[in-house]
Amino acid sequence: MNATMERLSRQHRDVLGRLAAIESAGDDRGDFAEFSAYLEHEVTQHFALEEQALFPVLARHLSLVQGPLAVMNAEHVAFGDLLRDLAAAVRSGDQHRQRANAAEIVHLLRDHIAKEDRILFPMASRLLSVAEQGEVDTRAARLAGAELVV
């Protein structure tokens, strides 16, 4: 696994920790405004790194319209929709919608992370040449030096 995929996997562990924390808050469910802000910054940036560094190189070997990359991209879009709904619920103060959206986000992200860690990243390690893995790292380094385009 190259440096970028290792970084993405570390970020996955961080996100899973946040998901567990929001779930363990019980009926109160914690601070949804803070959770929404965290997701907006951290997960959106994470997805941009995948979409702009890893996926374009991996698309040389896998279709973007079907299969794993299509699923990952569709789930990124679904996450964005859920995040916008959560942010709207936070702005309106609708606790019921906040809890429902947060629960959907937790479920989606847990499944999404499992697919990436267990399927996509091992597949990428097998499919990408050493040069292509280096290209992914170069793309990621460029993105780290600039604002990620989201």
Side-chain angles (χ1 to χ4, degrees):
M1 190 176 299
N2 73 343
T4 301
M5 286 186 286
E6 288 175 9
R7 175 181 171 195
L8 293 168
S9 289
R10 278 193 310 277
Q11 290 173 343
H12 283 169
R13 290 189 293 277
D14 293 342
V15 170
L16 290 170
R18 291 301 281 259
L19 300 180
I22 200 75
E23 277 188 320
S24 71
D27 288 340
D28 182 26
R29 290 286 193 171
D31 183 352
F32 292 110
E34 187 275 329
F35 182 59
S36 178
Y38 168 80
L39 296 171
E40 177 65 37
H41 184 265
E42 298 299 326
V43 176
T44 301
Q45 292 286 328
H46 173 90
F47 284 174
L49 180 61
E50 290 175 341
E51 292 168 0
Q52 295 174 41
L54 177 61
F55 292 1
V57 179
L58 196 50
R60 296 174 191 159
H61 303 274
L62 299 171
S63 172
L64 285 170
V65 295
Q66 63 184 19
L69 290 179
V71 171
M72 296 300 103
N73 281 320
E75 290 178 358
H76 287 186
V77 170
F79 167 80
D81 293 342
L82 288 170
L83 182 57
R84 281 186 291 284
D85 290 346
L86 176 60
V90 166
R91 284 190 303 277
S92 73
D94 186 334
Q95 287 289 315
H96 177 72
R97 270 184 51 215
Q98 289 175 47
R99 278 191 282 285
N101 284 109
E104 285 186 67
I105 288 170
V106 167
H107 178 74
L108 180 128
L109 286 177
R110 276 211 176 104
D111 287 350
H112 183 79
I113 288 168
K115 289 174 197 165
E116 286 186 344
D117 284 345
R118 295 179 190 150
I119 298 167
L120 189 71
F121 294 169
M123 183 182 295
S125 292
R126 286 190 310 273
L127 291 174
L128 298 179
S129 69
V130 171
E132 287 171 319
Q133 289 186 36
E135 182 181 347
V136 170
D137 289 342
T138 299
R139 286 170 171 258
R142 274 193 226 122
L143 292 169
E147 286 287 317
L148 289 177
V149 179
V150 292

